[in-house]
Amino acid sequence: MREQPPGERIKNYDEVPYGYSPEEAIIEAERCLQCKNPKCIEGCPVEIDIKGFIKFIAEEKFKEGVTLLKEKNILPAICGRVCPQEVQCEIKCIVGIKNEPVAIGRLERFLADWERENIEIEIPAIPKSTGKKVAIVGAGPAGITAAADLVRLGHKVDIFEALHKPGGVLVYGIPEFRLPKAIVFKEIDFLIQMGVRLFTDSVIGMIKSIDELLNEYNAVFLGTGAGLPWFLEVPGENLNGIYSANEYLTRANLMKAYLFPKYKTPIIRGKRVATIGGGNVAMDCARTALRLGAEKSIIVYRRSRNEMPARNEEIHHAEEEGVIFKLLSNPAAFHGDKNNWVNKVECISMKLGEPDDSGRRRPVPIPDANFMLPIDVAVIAIGNSPNPLVPSTTPDIETGKWGNIITDPKTCKTSKLGVFAGGDVATGAATVILAMGAGKIAARGMHNYLMNET
Amino acid sequence: MVKIVEKTEIAPNVHSCTVEAPDIARKALPGQFVIIIPDEYSERTPMTISDWDAKKGTVTFIFLEIGASTQKIAELKQGDELYSFTGPLGKPMEIKKFGTVALIGGCYGIGGIYPVARALKQAGNKIICFSEARSKFLLYWNEKLEEVSDEVRYSTVDGSIGFKGHAYDDIEEDLKTGKKFDRIIAIGCTYMMYRVSEASRPFSIETITSMNTVMIDGTGMCGACRLVVEDKTKFACVDGPHFDGHKVDWDIILSRRKAYLDEEIISQER
Ligand SMILES: Cc1cc2nc3c(=O)[nH]c(=O)nc-3n(C[C@H](O)[C@H](O)[C@H](O)COP(=O)(O)OP(=O)(O)OC[C@H]3O[C@@H](n4cnc5c(N)ncnc54)[C@H](O)[C@@H]3O)c2cc1C
Ligand SMILES: Cc1cc2nc3c(=O)[nH]c(=O)nc-3n(C[C@H](O)[C@H](O)[C@H](O)COP(=O)(O)OP(=O)(O)OC[C@H]3O[C@@H](n4cnc5c(N)ncnc54)[C@H](O)[C@@H]3O)c2cc1C
Ligand code: SF4
Ligand code: SF4
Ligand code: FES
């Protein structure tokens, strides 16, 4: 797929890959073998009829393609961009055994973009009201998907979102250059046109408790995500100039600090920015730092390149743009100047030892091999756990070891009657498509519950 | 969007603003705060809830015109709307019978201590409020504070009314001359709260300070508001904003407050 050249794109915040033209999409779609037993579908967590929509593209029947795609996935423009296809649908593709697999994600993005740009999106007919009301807490992918399915089943749906804009991580976390926000807002508009009501600025647990919601609604879905940032817990971590990834990305994306001073939220534009971590979130931070003018954007990761959890495409994009990878290095402390501004990160050199529980080789420190890296901004991108606000204000919801809400995987039921949960709040930080999948399961579980409730 | 029903400059550069927010008015408890975005371009700005009326469905906050976002709020008039208004946030202040409680308010904190004093008074405490400013004409809500207190003490830097100097000096003298308080609560600028807690430290009187760290979401998501309390990282927005001043690591807080100085100057110039 054509992309903005690396030297250009780090000077702007626009999307990196341009997307297929119709001709390119058709050529790519023709590579699909239309397998009798399409393995690709098994790889997709929401079981999209991949073979089917690709056939429509090859036949230039884009509209039919979109309709088929949307039967299983209401957010194809988003998933086509951010799904880790290389470990899901595309890894299973038969063509991939000998050649590059069919670019399923890109084709999915093409159809969704084509629809958005070319046709007036039809609002599906809403079935007769069931008279039941549901509250969705959190407007991330899990909540949005559950809302869409529930409204189509005839329930009245209200979404409560803590922030001033809906979208969850899609809006506050994933940068504009990977996922243009206009796409997300368009999808949410679509929901509102279907009759879903959205209440932003509503922190559930504070403005209303879950029990209060249950007085007003027949059922509640919790899709509050994994928004509790981890810190390294090393000396000096509270110096000025050290951000959590969530803060850094929220300032940049949700609050549009990249358009400062038109938008008033500031962000420190470091010359040497170190991002700690090796996942997608770390890549997003390191690439954001470049776009904010960093001369050196450095990823500090304690294992080797092979163990990095980030998608290959993201690592590749980061490398192309000039992000420096300092691997097998673990921060031990941050040091600051006399005004308490960070100016160095002290790292321990590591080597790989035996595999751990996750099967990845465990990093072990090399004695006496500490080194200093001069920096002026650090971003800690080592993970998040589920947001504790709702569980802590709702003692009768059972949570697990990491504060995750415990659910029945088949229905998304929690330990509290009438309350369902799914997405990152149940699984811990995962993926957009898994959160959407959970939203779908929950919608089905809630529908059964609502229709059998006396 | 919430509508402004009343806005007044109650002292030079200090405004009180009342908005229609019935759900928040119903839920608010003393010591909680809201986060306000005046218009699409502004920052998320935390403000203490200084008063509310559950029947009328209104919430009042007091703000100092400091940077770009508070200047934007200052420009708005009755009938205008605030782009975003979220609350109530934070843990409420602990309200129970302690005995004699000293409440120290400076700058916006004069408004901040008002609902706390009112609730503590109702809980049967003896209330002594210390209200401080640079000069007499910068004090506000004097009658309101007097209504809910057994005693209100004023301190001004220029000595135009009450004690000449700062409230922390005033209460320190009290403590040194053997006056007893069962609890001290300070709301206002960081340096003032720091000085109050240093003043009471030798006397081991529990001193609650209301931390006004930088904040973004206010839900525990970003970590911008982190501070260190007894060697543990805490988030002011969800674990606080009220912490035992004797356990807070003040060096970190005082340095984090200045983090955006340069940017703030730029954002006011444009
Ligand atoms: C920087 C970053 C990059 C990522 N990149 C990818 C990627 O490329 N591909 C991929 O598949 N996944 C990616 N992920 C993971 C993916 O974004 C998440 O797994 C997904 O968004 C989870 O969806 P969710 O609906 O469960 O929660 P979230 O998206 O976290 O949404 C939860 C929502 O609930 C709201 N909320 C929380 N508490 C309350 C409350 N008390 N009351 C009301 N509302 C509340 C939050 O404000 C938020 O809007 C990335 C994550 C991050 C942080
Ligand atoms: C929980 C909480 C409750 C708060 N309650 C109130 C309130 O009721 N009324 C109120 O006016 N403010 C309150 N604040 C402080 C208020 O949020 C900030 O003053 C405000 O964000 C300033 O925004 P701005 O864009 O106008 O100024 P900025 O441009 O962000 O700041 C301008 C400059 O002033 C400095 N500054 C900002 N606030 C303070 C302060 N409080 N003390 C000393 N220096 C400061 C900044 O560091 C910066 O250098 C509260 C803060 C918190 C966290
Ligand atoms: S939703 Fe994701 S996994 Fe499923 S087909 Fe699309 S890109 Fe592949
Ligand atoms: S496995 Fe690959 S070739 Fe086969 S149907 Fe799926 S996309 Fe087409
Ligand atoms: S303001 Fe973001 S965690 Fe407290």
Side-chain angles (χ1 to χ4, degrees), chain A residues 164 201 206-207 212 227 229 231 237-238 240 242-244 246-247 251 260-266 340-341, chain B residues 27 37 40-41 43-44 84-88 90 214 216 220-222 224 226 228 255-256 259-260 263 267 270:
Chain A
H164 57 286
D201 299 339
M206 302 304 291
I207 193 149
E212 284 168 308
F231 286 93
E237 200 168 17
N238 294 311
N240 287 318
I242 305 184
Y243 293 105
S244 76
N246 283 356
E247 179 181 359
R251 283 180 183 273
F260 183 85
K262 183 180 180 205
Y263 284 80
K264 303 296 181 194
T265 299
N340 281 316
W341 275 92
Chain B
K27 273 280 167 150
I37 316 178
E40 200 202 322
Y41 304 103
E43 283 188 73
R44 293 175 66 93
S84 159
F85 194 86
T86 307
V214 169
I216 301 182
M221 178 272 276
C222 74
R226 67 191 189 274
V228 175
S255 73
R256 281 182 73 85
Y260 292 98
E263 282 76 6
S267 100
R270 308 288 158 113

Side-chain angles (χ1 to χ4, degrees), chain A residues 301 303-309 312 315-316 319 325 327-328:
Chain A
Y301 180 57
R303 304 188 203 225
S304 78
R305 163 97 197 225
N306 285 339
E307 288 79 29
M308 271 201 180
N312 278 330
I315 299 174
H316 172 69
E319 278 177 335
F325 287 80
L327 302 172
L328 290 165

Side-chain angles (χ1 to χ4, degrees), chain A residues 312-356:
Chain A
N312 278 330
E313 184 179 332
E314 301 310 325
I315 299 174
H316 172 69
H317 275 143
E319 278 177 335
E320 272 185 345
E321 290 170 9
V323 171
I324 300 159
F325 287 80
K326 200 98 192 102
L327 302 172
L328 290 165
S329 305
N330 200 19
F334 294 94
H335 301 280
D337 64 15
K338 62 178 194 315
N339 294 321
N340 281 316
W341 275 92
V342 67
N343 60 10
K344 280 187 227 67
V345 51
E346 180 178 347
C347 299
I348 308 175
S349 297
M350 312 292 277
K351 60 177 185 217
L352 290 179
E354 294 300 305
D356 65 10

Side-chain angles (χ1 to χ4, degrees), chain A residues 8-140:
Chain A
E8 275 307 305
R9 69 195 190 218
I10 61 169
K11 294 187 206 125
N12 64 49
Y13 228 73
D14 300 338
E15 197 172 7
V16 170
Y18 289 120
Y20 285 140
S21 66
E23 297 71 35
E24 288 167 327
I26 292 168
I27 293 171
E28 183 63 24
E30 282 168 348
R31 294 181 58 228
C32 168
L33 306 173
Q34 292 293 311
C35 306
K36 274 228 162 51
N37 176 13
K39 290 278 181 212
C40 52
I41 299 179
E42 289 169 19
C44 172
V46 295
E47 296 169 359
I48 290 179
D49 181 356
I50 297 169
K51 173 179 159 184
F53 87 71
I54 293 183
K55 182 154 190 281
F56 280 129
I57 297 178
E59 293 166 354
E60 221 178 313
K61 292 182 183 155
F62 301 147
K63 190 157 184 215
E64 289 82 347
V66 177
T67 311
L68 183 64
L69 186 54
K70 283 200 160 172
E71 272 176 23
K72 286 282 167 62
N73 181 347
I74 60 151
L75 305 172
I78 295 165
C79 293
R81 286 174 167 83
V82 304
C83 253
Q85 293 101 8
E86 67 279 6
V87 295
Q88 294 182 352
C89 50
E90 290 176 14
I91 199 176
K92 303 266 173 152
C93 171
I94 307 294
V95 179
I97 298 171
K98 291 231 172 82
N99 291 302
E100 275 288 298
V102 176
I104 300 170
R106 291 169 177 182
L107 289 171
E108 184 170 328
R109 168 185 168 177
F110 164 76
L111 276 184
D113 289 354
W114 177 86
E115 180 192 38
R116 196 174 60 252
E117 285 153 18
N118 291 289
I119 53 178
E120 203 44 50
I121 298 179
E122 284 166 35
I123 308 297
I126 308 294
K128 205 170 126 276
S129 166
T130 58
K132 304 282 182 181
K133 283 174 75 182
V134 294
I136 308 280
V137 184

Side-chain angles (χ1 to χ4, degrees), chain B residues 33 43-50 61-71 107-108 188-190 211-215 241 257-261 264 267-268:
Chain B
F33 64 96
E43 283 188 73
R44 293 175 66 93
T45 315
M47 291 288 159
T48 306
I49 302 177
S50 289
F61 59 95
I62 294 208
F63 68 99
L64 268 60
E65 240 180 285
I66 302 179
S69 297
T70 46
Q71 279 166 16
C107 55
Y108 72 82
C189 79
T190 308
M211 308 316 289
N212 52 21
T213 55
V214 169
M215 288 188 182
R257 274 228 64 96
K258 298 190 205 84
Y260 292 98
L261 208 53
E264 271 136 14
S267 100
Q268 281 181 54

